[in-house]
Amino acid sequence: MMRAIYVASILHIVLASFVLWVVPSQYAFFADLVAFPVALFVLVRDIVSAWFASGVADDQQKNLVKSGSVNDRASTSVVDASSSNRSVRQRKVAGVSGRNDKNDPTFNSGANATSVVARSSLYGTGGVRKAKVILLGVQVLLFAMVLDFVYRPLVSPGNDLLVFRPGFVDHDSAKLHVRYADGGKLELRYRPLMSAESNSAPAIADSGADGWSDPAARKLNIPWESAGQFESPTSITDYTVTVALTNLKPTTKYVVELHSSIPTLHANSVYLGSAEFTTSPIPGKPARLRFGTGSCIKPNFPYRPTFSSPGDIYGFASMLDHSDDLDMIMFMGDFIYADVPLYFGAGTEDYRRLYRQVYMAPSTRRLVRKVPMLHVYDDHEIKNNWHSKDAPPMGSAMTAFAEYNGRPNPPPPEADVAYYNFTYGNIAFYAWDTRRYRTLWEDGKDDGQKSMLGAKQKEHFVSWLRDVNHTAAVKFVVSSVPVTTGWSNYDSSQDTWRGYPTERDEILQLTKHVPNLFFLSGDRHEMAAVRLPSGNVEFSTSPISQFTFPLVGMFLKNASGETTLHYRRQGHVKYGIIDVDTETNPDIPKVTYSLYTTDVDNGQSPAWVYEADCAPWR
């Protein structure tokens, strides 16, 4: 019995702890759904049996004491009998004793009491029983935390969520993303805070955890301009809409306010919230850019008990410490985990609910209103290792992605595609879609035709590459999965560029002739900086806030003609900040990558810094 208790209890504790603090695995969660009821049944049965056995033993011991008093009096009478009859009596007594020991009530009561006490001892003393009750409480508490972690999106779906954030910001326009569910007309009001000619005006004050109280900048004596009113979004788009501000000035910091025509539950006045951004330099002009990079987030992982819904995103909380001078964040996929630790379904609402969970997190709300965030999607926005093109649930997943993260991105080359390119001064970006156009895994080994990008996207990328070769000082190519072949387990060999060697080599043959081109990627929940065989450097950084494997390394350093510049496995929080300077020396730019992790100085200072060897580019 004790062995069964220990095995069941330890198994449940290990599985629950694994889900909450190591890896939120679907398989571990399903196993815990079995382990907990077994552990609960065995432990409760043992505790109840111990209490029952203890009560019966107490009653039997009382009866034994009472029976013992009667026998003492009977023995005294026997001693006072005639000595002449003593031998006969003794023989009779001996005969009776020999015949009736097993049937004598006194004998049986003592034996039964002894048996009950023995059984009671099997279940432990009072101290042991108290320890088992404490163990039961721990088991129930752990399982309650697992259920809270897994099912919080259903319990708190965020239907009344309010989002107001900048998306893509160009030199003369900006996209603003709004989610607002209360109806009525909305209005955008904006004004400049700072321009390239003046840096004395203050930025928006950080107004607290929710980021929706009046900013100090509203007190500036600068007139507001109205961008006009527009109808509130409807349930068709989950109450989201992306609107554009136009006729802005380059290299100018703006504050934008969202107003409603009627008071709402979210505010005592028509003011709903504010956001800020800085417009980019004129295309082709030398610039200084500082931006964050990374991928992979899961709200409230590692798990912390919280009454705020849905818990925080600890990597975003760390990035907030550096947000005052970030121009943007390039998020490279796995913004949601549709199938970790539980896949709720293939409906559009199942995906929308998970986006709302991320935007409900306090650090997300504060970060995205201060720093424009651009996105590519990866597999967990759909399902793990997605490679089935437009098969379900791709349609539902992409609808939700477009509503929350896709439409605020830079404009794509044509409608209904997710890849895009843009410039920041004379710094150029190209963001791949590495999921929708893949050759299916089931199509076999690479025969020279296997593709991750698809013919149309690759043709557009090659055209962009030619255009920016000698018109942009620095180029960044964004891939949701790593280009390096250093990650070499089965999953990586299928899911990353390692599984598409012909197309990878074709691309690297082109990029090796393009000066100052860098690859940015995520996905692996580890960090690696690698000089590829083409000479281009890749910075693969993740997770911003997710699990990592603390003991198992999967990265092969200096693999297949590559040079590993840095590799870091540990850390639930890892992200990069990249500084680009094409102003100081217009002929030879400067690019510096800094890795941040909360494992080093709590994310206040970089854990590793790399200054790239840039070349003349004109």
Side-chain angles (χ1 to χ4, degrees):
M1 177 66 72
M2 292 298 294
R3 182 176 297 177
I5 293 171
Y6 291 144
V7 171
S9 298
I10 290 173
L11 181 60
H12 164 55
I13 290 172
V14 168
L15 289 171
S17 300
F18 191 81
V19 171
L20 293 172
W21 297 298
V22 182
V23 178
S25 164
Q26 188 176 81
Y27 300 110
F29 172 63
F30 288 156
D32 195 43
L33 289 180
V34 176
F36 172 71
V38 173
L40 184 67
F41 171 76
V42 173
L43 195 54
V44 169
R45 185 181 67 174
D46 183 70
I47 293 171
V48 171
S49 298
W51 280 338
F52 176 76
S54 176
V56 171
D58 290 342
D59 292 341
Q60 292 286 8
Q61 283 178 329
K62 291 178 182 178
N63 293 334
L64 179 62
V65 171
K66 185 177 180 180
S67 176
S69 299
V70 173
N71 290 337
D72 288 342
R73 290 194 297 271
S75 298
T76 302
S77 299
V78 171
V79 171
D80 291 339
S82 170
S83 58
S84 62
N85 296 326
R86 183 173 299 172
S87 59
V88 176
R89 284 181 173 275
Q90 286 176 342
R91 287 194 298 270
K92 289 182 177 181
V93 170
V96 171
S97 175
R99 289 191 306 270
N100 297 330
D101 274 352
K102 294 182 180 180
N103 300 319
D104 181 59
T106 302
F107 178 87
N108 285 338
S109 65
N112 289 342
T114 302
S115 175
V116 171
V117 171
R119 288 199 306 269
S120 178
S121 67
L122 289 176
Y123 296 102
T125 63
V128 174
R129 290 195 297 272
K130 289 179 181 178
K132 291 176 181 177
V133 172
I134 293 174
L135 179 59
L136 175 63
V138 171
Q139 302 258 32
V140 173
L141 179 61
L142 270 176
F143 193 65
M145 290 192 292
V146 169
L147 294 180
D148 175 57
F149 177 64
V150 174
Y151 291 103
R152 182 66 73 95
L154 296 181
V155 176
S156 301
N159 294 327
D160 60 347
L161 172 69
L162 171 63
V163 177
F164 182 49
R165 70 174 184 94
F168 172 60
V169 179
D170 206 352
H171 68 286
D172 60 356
S173 63
K175 288 186 174 183
L176 281 305
H177 177 241
V178 177
R179 186 188 191 274
Y180 180 72
D182 286 350
K185 290 183 178 296
L186 298 175
E187 180 186 10
L188 293 179
R189 301 176 188 174
Y190 66 100
R191 62 182 175 186
L193 286 177
M194 185 187 302
S195 68
E197 291 75 26
S198 173
N199 58 7
S200 59
I204 293 179
D206 192 344
S207 52
D210 62 0
W212 296 111
S213 58
D214 287 358
R218 295 186 74 208
K219 300 178 181 179
L220 295 176
N221 190 23
I222 302 175
W224 290 93
E225 297 184 51
S226 175
Q229 292 187 339
F230 58 96
E231 293 291 338
S232 292
T234 67
S235 60
I236 295 175
T237 59
D238 199 27
Y239 305 101
T240 64
V241 65
T242 298
V243 295
L245 281 179
T246 57
N247 299 319
L248 304 178
K249 298 178 181 179
T251 325
T252 302
K253 193 163 196 170
Y254 286 89
V255 59
V256 186
E257 291 187 349
L258 178 66
H259 289 258
S260 171
S261 60
I262 55 174
T264 72
L265 296 176
H266 300 286
N268 294 324
S269 68
V270 294
Y271 169 78
L272 297 178
S274 61
E276 65 178 75
F277 59 84
T278 300
T279 50
S280 63
I282 296 173
K285 184 178 180 180
R288 294 191 181 194
L289 172 66
R290 181 174 172 86
F291 68 100
T293 178
S295 71
C296 309
I297 56 174
K298 178 69 178 175
N300 203 25
F301 186 86
Y303 179 83
R304 301 177 189 175
T306 176
F307 292 103
S308 64
S309 180
D312 209 0
I313 296 175
Y314 309 119
F316 282 171
S318 179
M319 296 183 85
L320 270 168
D321 294 336
H322 310 280
S323 61
D324 287 343
D325 55 357
L326 286 179
D327 295 296
M328 69 173 189
I329 295 172
M330 177 58 69
F331 195 97
M332 298 176 294
D334 293 343
F335 189 78
I336 65 169
Y337 275 73
D339 54 347
V340 174
L342 183 64
Y343 185 64
F344 288 109
T348 304
E349 174 58 22
D350 296 311
Y351 288 94
R352 288 168 169 169
R353 188 188 306 117
L354 297 175
Y355 283 97
R356 296 197 297 267
Q357 290 291 299
V358 174
Y359 281 108
M360 287 166 64
S363 292
T364 307
R365 293 167 65 86
R366 294 173 60 192
L367 182 64
V368 299
R369 76 181 189 92
K370 294 181 65 178
V371 185
M373 188 178 291
L374 307 181
H375 293 267
V376 299
Y377 72 94
D378 198 28
D379 55 337
H380 288 289
E381 277 90 348
I382 314 160
K383 264 189 172 182
N384 185 44
N385 291 343
W386 183 256
H387 58 278
S388 300
K389 299 187 176 181
D390 286 332
M394 184 67 165
S396 298
M398 287 299 94
T399 295
F401 171 79
E403 290 169 348
Y404 281 90
N405 289 348
R407 293 192 183 107
N409 275 340
E414 59 183 78
D416 197 35
V417 302
Y419 55 89
Y420 58 86
N421 63 278
F422 66 97
T423 60
Y424 186 97
N426 64 349
I427 305 166
F429 288 81
Y430 196 102
W432 281 335
D433 179 343
T434 65
R435 289 292 167 187
R436 186 178 181 185
Y437 309 105
R438 287 179 176 231
T439 303
L440 302 184
W441 288 6
E442 291 80 2
D443 287 353
K445 295 183 179 180
D446 188 7
D447 58 359
Q449 303 299 316
K450 192 176 181 181
S451 176
M452 182 181 290
L453 300 182
K456 194 171 186 179
Q457 181 180 192
K458 184 161 60 177
E459 180 183 358
H460 185 266
F461 170 70
V462 171
S463 176
W464 171 85
L465 208 57
R466 295 193 185 100
D467 291 341
V468 301
N469 191 1
H470 294 293
T471 61
V474 179
K475 306 89 177 169
F476 292 99
V477 178
V478 180
S479 173
S480 68
V481 294
V483 179
T484 173
T485 59
W487 283 286
S488 56
N489 63 350
Y490 175 78
D491 177 81
S492 302
S493 298
Q494 297 288 341
D495 196 53
T496 73
W497 278 98
R498 182 185 180 92
Y500 298 79
T502 300
E503 188 173 56
R504 175 181 179 272
D505 291 344
E506 178 186 350
I507 289 171
L508 294 182
Q509 284 297 317
L510 295 173
T511 61
K512 73 178 182 180
H513 301 294
V514 181
N516 310 324
L517 183 144
F518 301 86
F519 288 96
L520 305 177
S521 65
D523 180 63
R524 291 289 94 188
H525 295 211
E526 299 175 354
M527 181 273 166
V530 177
R531 189 179 301 279
L532 300 168
S534 61
N536 308 110
V537 173
E538 177 181 18
F539 302 110
S540 186
T541 315
S542 67
I544 291 180
S545 198
Q546 243 291 24
F547 73 87
T548 190
F549 293 100
L551 300 176
V552 182
M554 300 182 292
F555 190 80
L556 299 177
K557 296 182 179 180
N558 304 317
S560 304
E562 301 176 353
T563 301
T564 302
L565 305 173
H566 187 74
Y567 169 70
R568 186 180 187 89
R569 180 183 64 247
Q570 67 271 24
H572 289 105
V573 172
K574 297 189 286 289
Y575 56 90
I577 292 180
I578 299 177
D579 292 279
V580 185
D581 180 6
T582 65
E583 285 184 343
T584 303
N585 185 344
D587 294 323
I588 303 178
K590 183 178 180 180
V591 176
T592 304
Y593 172 92
S594 300
L595 171 66
Y596 288 84
T597 171
T598 51
D599 290 352
V600 177
D601 194 23
N602 200 31
Q604 298 299 308
S605 57
W608 180 71
V609 177
Y610 175 77
E611 187 170 327
D613 297 324
C614 292
W617 60 277
R618 297 182 189 273

